[in-house]
Amino acid sequence: MPDPRPVSSGRPPRPQPAPGALPTLLGRIVAFSHDRAMAMVALALVLIGLSVFAASTRLGVSTDTDTLFRASLPWRQHEIALARAFPADAGLVAVISARIPEEADATAAALAAILAQDKTHFTSVTRPDALPYLRHNGLLFLDRKPLNNLLNSIIAAQPFLGQLTADPSARGLFSALSLIALGVEHGQADLTGFTPALQGFQRALAEAAAGHPQTLSWQNLLAGPLVAEAGPYRFVLAQPVQDFGALEPGRAATDALREAAARLPFIRSGDAQLGITGPVALADEEFATVAEGAVWGTAGSMLLITLWLFLAVGSWRLIVPIVLTLLLGLALTTGFAAVAVGTLNLVSVAFAILFVGIAVDFAIQFSVRFREVREAVPDLADALRQTGNQAGGQILVAAAATSAGFYAFVPTSFSGVAELGLIAGTGMMIAFLATLGFLPAFLTLFRAPGGRGETGLHALGRIEPHLLRHRRAVLLGFALLGVLGVVLLPHLAFDSDPLHTKDPHTESMRVLRKLIDDPNTNPYTIDIITPSVASATVLSDRLGKLPLVARALSLESFVPTDQAPKLAAIQDAATILGPTLAGPATPPVPPSAADLRQAIRAAEAQLGAVRTKLPPASPLLAIEADLARLFSAPDATLLAMNTALTEFLPPQLDTLSDVLNVRPVTAADIPPDLARQWVLPDGRARVNVMPKPLAEDSTGLHRFVAQVRAVAPEAGGAAVTIVETAATIIAAFRDAAVGALVAIAGLLFLFLRRPRTVALVMAPLLLSALMAVVVLVTTRMVLNFANIIALPLLLGVGVSFNIYFVMNWRAGARQFLGTGTARAVLFSAATTATAFGSLALSHHPGTASMGDLLLISLGCTLLATFGFLPTLLLGMKPDR
C-alpha cells in the first residue's frame, strides 16, 4: 500500500486526472476558450450588453415587505382580508409631546390641518385622539368615582370660574385671587384641594416675573390627575404616497411632514416635540441604516479582496481575469434575475452578495491550479487544457451541489428566500460556465504567467504529520464537538421580534419603544373580524378576561356604560355651573398694562392682608411675592404674562361648558367615520385586543397570541403577523435545509458514485454546522430574521471546500494542506470573509448579526475542512 505519510519537502505531487469522458470534455471546453479568445471576449461583451438591457428594462426592486411571503399562506389570507376590510391609515405616525397638554393638542391640530391640504404626499390624515364625539362625551367614559371627584372640585371652584368666565384675562385671574384672599380672611375658603392648582399657577407667575413667560395649562389646573390618563402623546396618522421604486419609498412624505411641523410655533419654540414612527418610517430608516457606510465599507472590502487575490495568485495578469470573470457572471446572473423574477424583494436583492462570495472560489480554484500546472507545462494552451482536465470536474461538482442547495429553497413559503434560491442556484451554474468558458480566454489575452515560487501552502503542510500522529485524538475531539452541538441544538434561540434587528437609535425606533411601554399605544395588537356587532361585543368581553389581555375593544366600547347615575351627576353639576359658565353678553375689553398693574396691586393687597392666616407652605405666599415683582416689571413683560396665563383659558372654559351639556348615548350616536373603523357595510364587526406589558418580549407575545387564538382562531393583526412570520421563516429554513442536504447528497452520488465518498463530503459540512451551534449557544447569540439568511451561503461554501479535498483524495493525493487546492480554499475563504465580514461592522443590528454569523460559520467550516477532513482522509484508502 502507498506510504500514507505526507511529503516533508519538495513540491507536493499533483493528482492525475481520472480518465473519463467528463474531464476530457471539460478540458476541450477550456482549450476552445483559449483557441478563440477574442471571439469569447466578444461573446462576453454581447452577453453583458443583453444582460444590462434586460436589467434596465425589466429588473426592479420592491421594498414592500408584504411580498416576502406567499399570499396563499393562511395567516397571510387573514392579513389580506383584514387589510381590505379595515385599511390601515397610519403609514406614518406623528407623535407629538409637549410641556403641557394644550400645546400638544394645538400642535397636533395645526399639523393635521396642514397635512390634509397636501394631496401630493398624503392620501389621508386623521387624529384618532381628537374626535369631537369622544371629547363631548368624555365625562361619561370616566368611572363613577373619579367623575364625582372631578365634578365636586369644579363645583367648589365655582366663584373662581365665574370671575374667569366674566373676564378671561390675567386681570380676571388676579380678581379671582382677590376673591380667594377674601374667603381666607372670612374663614370660608378651604384651599386643601386647590393646592396643586395654586402651585402650578405660582410657577407660571414666577416664570413670567423672571421674563420667561410659560403658557399655563388650564387642563392640569381644572382636571388634575385625570389629564395624565390621556397619556403624554397626541397623534396624527398620515397615509403617505410611496414610491416603491426608491430605496426609501416614504422619504418624500416624511420630509414634507417634518417641514410642515417645523413651521408650527410650539415646535419652533421647543415647547412641543415631534417624533415620527409607523411602518413606513421604520422601513425607510432601516434601509437608510443598512446603506449607511456601505460605500466606504464596499471600497474597503474591495481593497482587501484585491490583496487576498494577489496573495492567492501572485500576479495582476491573473487577478484581472478573475475579476472580469466575476463581473461577467454577475451580469449574466442579473440578467437571469430580470427575466425570471422581474421585481426583486428585500431578500432576493442579496443575490449579488451570494454570487460574489461563492463564485470567486471557482475562479480562484482554477487560477491557482493553473499556476501549479504551468510550472511543469510551459505551453499556455496545454497548461489550460490540463487545468480543465484536473480542476474542471471538481468545480462542476461544487457548482452543481451548491446550486442544488440553493434550489432547495425555491418551494418554501418564504418568497424572499425562494426567489433568492432560484437566482443564486442558477447563478452558480452561470459561474461555472464563466469559469471554464471565459476565464481561459481572459487568461490567454492577459498572457497569464506560470507559477513562480510557492503555489502550495508548505507551512500548513507541516501540520499534517502531527494530525496523522494524533489522528484518533483529533477525530475524537471533533466527534465530541459534534455531539456537544447535537446536545445544544435544542437551546439554539430564535428571536421572532423583527424590531430587534433594527437600529434602536433611529428616530422611528426610539419613538416606537416609548409607545410600546404604554399599554394604550402598544402596536402589538390583535384584530378579529366577527359576523356582527353583537358577536363582537360578546367576544370582546371574553377576550378582556384573558390573563395577558389589557383590554379588548369593539364598537360597543365607544358607548359609555353605567350612564344613568353619571348623567344625573353631570346634570346636577351643569345646573349649578351653567349660569357661571354662560359668560357676559359683551366680551370685556382686553386689559392694558395699566389695567394689569391695577389688578396686581389689588390682589397683592388682599393677599398681604391675610398673610398671617396662611400656613408657611401656602403657595399664596409665593404668589404674593411674585405679584410684587410683576408690579414693577416693564409693560412688555406684563402683556406677555397676560398671554401666557390665559392663552388656553377661553377654549378650556368652552370645553367645560360643552362636556357638561350631555345626553344619553347609544351606538347610533357614534359618528359614521368612527363606526366604519369597527363595522363593515355588510354588518361584520372588528374586535381589537391590546396586550399587557407582560406580552412585550418574544415569549410573552407568543403566549398572548396563543391565548387569544384559543378563543378566536381566525385572529390577525400585528402580533399574529410577527408570530406567524417567525414560524414561516423557521419552517422554510428547516424544510429547505433538509431538502438541500438531500439534494446535495443526491448530486454528489450522481457524480462521485460512491456512498463513502459522498459521506466524506457531507460529514465536514454537518460537523461545521454543529460546531457553529456550539459557538452560537455558548456566546448566547440568537438567530433572527436577518442572520438566518446567511445559512444558504454556508451550505454552498462548505460543500465546495470539501469537494476539492475529497476529489483530490480519490484521485490519489496523500497531502492536502500543503497543496495549491488548500491555498485556493484558504484565500477563497479570505475573500468571502472580507466580503461578508464587513457586514459585522454595520450600524444596522440585523446586518451586523448576519456578518457575525457568517464569520462564525465560515470559521467553523474552515476548521472542519482544514482540521477534521484531512485527518480523516490521511488514514483512509481512496475509492477507485
Side-chain angles (χ1 to χ4, degrees):
M1 62 178 292
D3 185 358
R5 292 170 297 176
V7 178
S8 59
S9 61
R11 190 166 307 282
R14 285 188 304 274
Q16 296 300 313
L22 182 60
T24 302
L25 174 62
L26 297 177
R28 288 176 179 175
I29 292 174
V30 172
F32 181 88
S33 178
H34 163 75
D35 295 341
R36 295 164 178 79
M38 290 301 299
M40 295 303 294
V41 171
L43 177 60
L45 292 175
V46 172
L47 293 175
I48 290 175
L50 292 174
S51 298
V52 170
F53 175 77
S56 61
T57 56
R58 297 175 59 94
L59 190 64
V61 178
S62 173
T63 53
D64 186 358
T65 54
D66 288 341
T67 63
L68 293 179
F69 301 93
R70 298 193 191 280
S72 58
L73 289 168
W75 66 268
R76 281 283 289 137
Q77 290 291 308
H78 288 151
E79 184 180 58
I80 293 170
L82 189 62
R84 287 175 179 171
F86 299 99
D89 55 0
L92 289 175
V93 180
V95 182
I96 298 161
S97 58
R99 187 181 56 85
I100 59 175
E102 288 93 337
E103 291 174 344
D105 287 330
T107 302
L111 179 61
I114 295 174
L115 299 185
Q117 300 298 318
D118 185 357
K119 303 301 182 183
T120 301
H121 296 105
F122 305 99
T123 59
S124 67
V125 179
T126 58
R127 285 193 62 204
D129 51 5
L131 298 175
Y133 168 81
L134 297 179
R135 285 185 176 269
H136 177 66
N137 297 294
L139 294 180
L140 288 174
F141 285 99
L142 296 175
D143 291 334
R144 290 177 61 182
K145 183 176 180 179
L147 172 63
N148 290 330
N149 291 339
L150 176 61
L151 292 176
N152 290 336
S153 66
I154 295 175
I155 292 172
Q158 182 185 16
F160 189 75
L161 292 174
Q163 190 63 46
L164 294 178
T165 303
D167 185 3
S169 68
R171 177 180 56 200
L173 185 56
F174 297 143
S175 298
L177 281 175
S178 298
L179 289 177
I180 292 175
L182 189 62
V184 172
E185 184 178 359
H186 292 87
Q188 299 175 348
D190 181 6
L191 301 180
T192 305
F194 297 97
T195 298
L198 289 173
Q199 289 173 338
F201 175 63
Q202 185 275 321
R203 286 191 294 269
L205 276 183
E207 291 287 345
H212 308 291
Q214 293 287 329
T215 310
L216 182 62
S217 172
W218 288 93
Q219 287 187 34
N220 288 332
L221 292 183
L222 295 176
L226 288 178
V227 175
E229 293 189 8
Y233 306 115
R234 302 296 182 267
F235 300 94
V236 177
L237 309 184
Q239 192 62 36
V241 176
Q242 299 187 71
D243 176 12
F244 286 111
L247 182 63
E248 299 177 58
R251 177 65 179 272
T254 303
D255 289 344
L257 193 157
R258 292 190 192 281
E259 292 171 5
R263 301 195 298 268
L264 301 178
F266 293 118
I267 295 288
R268 290 204 310 269
S269 68
D271 291 319
Q273 296 78 40
L274 170 72
I276 301 177
T277 187
V280 173
L282 286 166
D284 284 354
E285 289 189 344
E286 182 172 18
F287 305 145
T289 304
V290 172
E292 183 180 354
V295 174
W296 289 107
T298 302
S301 296
M302 291 305 297
L303 289 175
L304 281 175
I305 288 173
T306 302
L307 172 63
W308 299 134
L309 289 175
F310 180 79
L311 293 175
V313 297
S315 170
W316 70 269
R317 295 180 183 274
L318 291 169
I319 294 174
V320 174
I322 291 174
V323 173
L324 290 177
T325 303
L326 278 178
L327 293 176
L328 170 63
L330 181 59
L332 294 178
T333 303
T334 304
F336 170 78
V339 175
V341 176
T343 301
L344 303 176
N345 56 49
L346 293 174
V347 175
S348 59
V349 73
F351 80 87
I353 299 175
L354 289 179
F355 178 87
V356 173
I358 299 178
V360 69
D361 172 64
F362 302 160
I364 290 177
Q365 279 289 340
F366 188 93
S367 299
V368 170
R369 300 286 281 278
F370 165 75
R371 282 188 65 205
E372 194 175 28
V373 170
R374 188 77 191 277
E375 290 186 57
V377 182
D379 181 67
L380 176 62
D382 195 26
L384 285 172
R385 182 183 57 78
Q386 288 195 31
T387 302
N389 287 341
Q390 293 181 20
Q394 297 179 8
I395 296 174
L396 173 61
V397 175
T402 305
S403 180
F406 282 129
Y407 281 142
F409 288 84
V410 175
T412 66
S413 298
F414 189 9
S415 300
V417 173
E419 289 183 5
L420 179 64
L422 175 63
I423 299 170
T426 305
M428 293 302 96
M429 298 313 299
I430 291 175
F432 164 74
L433 294 175
T435 300
L436 264 67
F438 294 92
L439 179 58
F442 296 142
L443 292 172
T444 300
L445 293 180
F446 280 87
R447 291 179 294 178
R452 292 191 295 272
E454 184 181 21
T455 57
L457 291 173
H458 291 175
L460 279 179
R462 287 193 286 271
I463 298 176
E464 287 189 338
H466 301 286
L467 293 178
L468 184 61
R469 188 176 305 116
H470 305 286
R471 184 171 182 269
R472 289 188 177 181
V474 172
L475 294 179
L476 179 61
F478 279 111
L480 291 176
L481 281 176
V483 172
L484 180 60
V486 172
V487 172
L488 294 179
L489 187 59
H491 301 281
L492 187 62
F494 182 84
D495 185 356
S496 62
D497 191 343
L499 296 182
H500 293 166
T501 66
K502 302 180 185 296
D503 185 354
H505 304 295
T506 61
E507 178 189 13
S508 59
M509 275 300 300
R510 293 198 308 270
V511 174
L512 183 58
R513 282 299 177 193
K514 293 178 181 178
L515 299 182
I516 290 175
D517 292 338
D518 185 347
N520 293 323
T521 55
N522 191 322
Y524 293 158
T525 61
I526 292 177
D527 290 294
I528 307 108
I529 299 179
T530 64
S532 65
V533 172
S535 60
T537 303
V538 173
L539 180 60
S540 64
D541 290 341
R542 290 182 62 193
L543 294 174
K545 299 173 183 177
L546 295 176
L548 289 177
V549 172
R551 59 179 176 172
L553 301 178
S554 65
L555 182 69
E556 289 294 329
S557 303
F558 296 91
V559 179
T561 59
D562 205 15
Q563 291 190 38
K566 294 178 184 178
L567 284 169
I570 295 171
Q571 288 167 0
D572 287 344
T575 302
I576 298 172
L577 297 171
T580 302
L581 297 174
T586 304
V589 177
S592 64
D595 295 332
L596 293 173
R597 279 196 177 85
Q598 182 178 356
I600 289 172
R601 176 61 72 192
E604 184 186 0
Q606 290 285 356
L607 290 173
V610 298
R611 185 183 303 120
T612 59
K613 296 183 179 182
L614 295 172
S618 174
L620 289 175
L621 295 175
I623 289 174
E624 180 192 2
D626 294 329
L627 290 174
R629 295 171 59 196
L630 281 168
F631 182 79
S632 59
D635 290 356
T637 299
L638 293 180
L639 295 175
M641 176 269 302
N642 179 66
T643 300
L645 294 182
T646 62
E647 180 175 358
F648 294 116
L649 176 57
Q652 187 59 34
L653 292 173
D654 291 340
T655 299
L656 180 57
S657 179
D658 178 60
V659 298
L660 291 174
N661 184 28
V662 294
R663 58 180 180 79
V665 176
T666 66
D669 297 311
I670 298 176
D673 289 345
L674 177 57
R676 178 59 184 83
Q677 298 176 29
W678 297 92
V679 182
L680 296 173
D682 61 7
R684 289 180 297 159
R686 179 169 72 104
V687 175
N688 178 256
V689 190
M690 300 181 181
K692 289 182 178 178
L694 292 174
E696 285 184 7
D697 60 18
S698 179
T699 302
L701 193 66
H702 279 73
R703 290 174 54 210
F704 168 61
V705 171
Q707 286 182 9
V708 174
R709 278 183 152 179
V711 179
E714 68 282 7
V720 174
T721 297
I722 290 174
V723 170
E724 286 292 352
T725 295
T728 300
I729 291 177
I730 292 173
F733 275 93
R734 181 190 61 236
D735 296 344
V738 173
L741 292 175
V742 172
I744 290 171
L747 267 173
L748 290 176
F749 184 77
L750 179 66
F751 281 103
L752 304 179
R753 302 288 184 178
R754 295 288 187 275
R756 187 175 72 151
T757 307
V758 173
L760 289 173
V761 175
M762 299 298 292
L765 183 63
L766 295 176
L767 176 62
S768 63
L770 292 174
M771 288 193 296
V773 169
V774 173
V775 176
L776 292 178
V777 174
T778 54
T779 59
R780 297 184 178 181
M781 183 177 178
V782 299
L783 298 177
N784 56 46
F785 293 107
N787 61 26
I788 199 171
I789 299 173
L791 298 182
L793 173 69
L794 303 175
L795 283 175
V797 171
V799 73
S800 297
F801 291 172
N802 299 333
I803 284 172
Y804 301 136
F805 280 172
V806 171
M807 292 190 71
N808 282 353
W809 165 80
R810 200 171 79 156
R814 304 305 298 142
Q815 185 177 2
F816 303 99
L817 298 185
T819 64
T821 299
R823 182 188 191 89
V825 167
L826 181 63
F827 286 107
S828 175
T831 57
T832 302
T834 300
F836 301 111
S838 60
L839 299 176
L841 303 177
S842 172
H843 296 287
H844 184 262
T847 304
S849 69
M850 184 191 302
D852 292 338
L853 180 57
L854 282 164
L855 289 176
I856 289 171
S857 301
L858 188 59
C860 293
T861 298
L862 284 177
L863 184 59
T865 301
F866 280 84
F868 170 74
L869 185 57
T871 306
L872 189 64
L873 296 176
L874 284 171
M876 300 177 64
K877 287 185 177 181
D879 290 330
R880 294 296 181 183

